[in-house]
Amino acid sequence: MGKKKKDDPAVEHEDLDDDEEAAPQTQEVEDAAAADRPPVLWVQLDPQGETLASTCLLQPDWMWATQLEQSKDTAAQSGAVAGLAALEPTTYTVVSALEHCLLDDQVYPRVRREAAMALATTASLHTEFAGFHILLKAFKARCHSSSSVAAQQAQAGTASAGLSLGEYLVTQSLPLAIASVRDDRGCWPPEAAEVLEVVQDSA
């Protein structure tokens, strides 16, 4: 007849001690993560538009960016674009948020058009004209892919033929935004002049 194996109480106590040590560590990690999260993501004044007065709201760039990316309200998104465009000096956080808005086809077209103009406004030496290069990249992706000037002119005139009305309006805003960019001397960048020449010849 076999003998019944006795349970080792030392092993049981050791396992319980490990579980008790793991629980506080897990709680500490969760508490630290909660402490890193800001208590307020963004602030929106008069979201229903019931106040007959103009308001001025100042927020840091990350709050405007969060409002633009997470809010589903078109008015809030438009206000966030305006807030990002008004910040000085421009930061890469501003440029990144506006780029994401411009390229997101789920965002209302008018807000995307505003984001395109804001990218032109924020193009400066502080960000190495990152907003301008984003506009150029978006225009080339939509309007032409060939290095031939003649091919570019032909494609620029027909690129929007198969687009929806919203995408067409966004595409039409890109040359206008590019045309409004100025370098530190107040002149057009050479790449902007090339884009405008293509658009003019294809009109």
Side-chain angles (χ1 to χ4, degrees):
M1 184 174 178
K3 293 183 179 180
K4 185 178 180 181
K5 184 179 178 182
K6 285 188 175 182
D7 294 333
D8 189 351
V11 175
E12 293 181 358
H13 289 303
E14 184 178 351
D15 293 340
L16 290 174
D17 292 342
D18 291 342
D19 293 339
E20 291 175 357
E21 291 178 0
Q25 291 177 357
T26 303
Q27 186 63 38
E28 289 177 3
V29 172
E30 293 177 354
D31 292 343
D36 291 338
R37 289 195 296 266
V40 179
L41 296 179
W42 72 83
V43 177
Q44 186 179 3
L45 298 179
D46 189 25
Q48 304 301 324
E50 298 174 346
T51 303
L52 298 177
S54 60
T55 59
C56 179
L57 177 62
L58 302 179
Q59 296 186 126
D61 54 3
W62 67 266
M63 293 184 73
W64 286 123
T66 303
Q67 177 176 331
L68 178 59
E69 294 173 2
Q70 296 188 14
S71 177
K72 302 303 181 182
D73 180 57
T74 303
Q77 293 173 343
S78 179
V81 170
L84 289 169
L87 291 177
E88 293 184 359
T90 302
T91 64
Y92 285 102
T93 299
V94 171
V95 176
S96 177
L98 293 173
E99 177 186 14
H100 184 271
C101 177
L102 172 63
L103 301 180
D104 188 356
D105 58 4
Q106 299 300 313
V107 178
Y108 190 62
R110 178 177 176 180
V111 178
R112 296 171 65 192
R113 287 168 56 91
E114 293 173 354
M117 297 305 300
L119 280 170
T121 302
T122 58
S124 65
L125 290 175
H126 291 286
T127 56
E128 300 178 346
F129 288 91
F132 173 63
H133 295 298
I134 291 170
L135 291 170
L136 283 178
K137 184 178 179 180
F139 175 79
K140 292 178 180 179
R142 287 168 173 266
C143 297
H144 60 270
S145 57
S146 172
S147 58
S148 168
V149 175
Q152 291 176 8
Q153 294 172 354
Q155 292 179 29
T158 59
S160 57
L163 298 177
S164 65
L165 177 59
E167 291 296 326
Y168 173 80
L169 294 175
V170 172
T171 300
Q172 291 298 307
S173 69
L174 295 176
L176 180 61
I178 292 172
S180 64
V181 175
R182 298 292 185 273
D183 59 19
D184 55 338
R185 299 173 298 174
C187 302
W188 272 343
E191 299 89 342
E194 294 174 4
V195 168
L196 297 178
E197 181 180 355
V198 170
V199 173
Q200 183 178 9
D201 292 341
S202 64

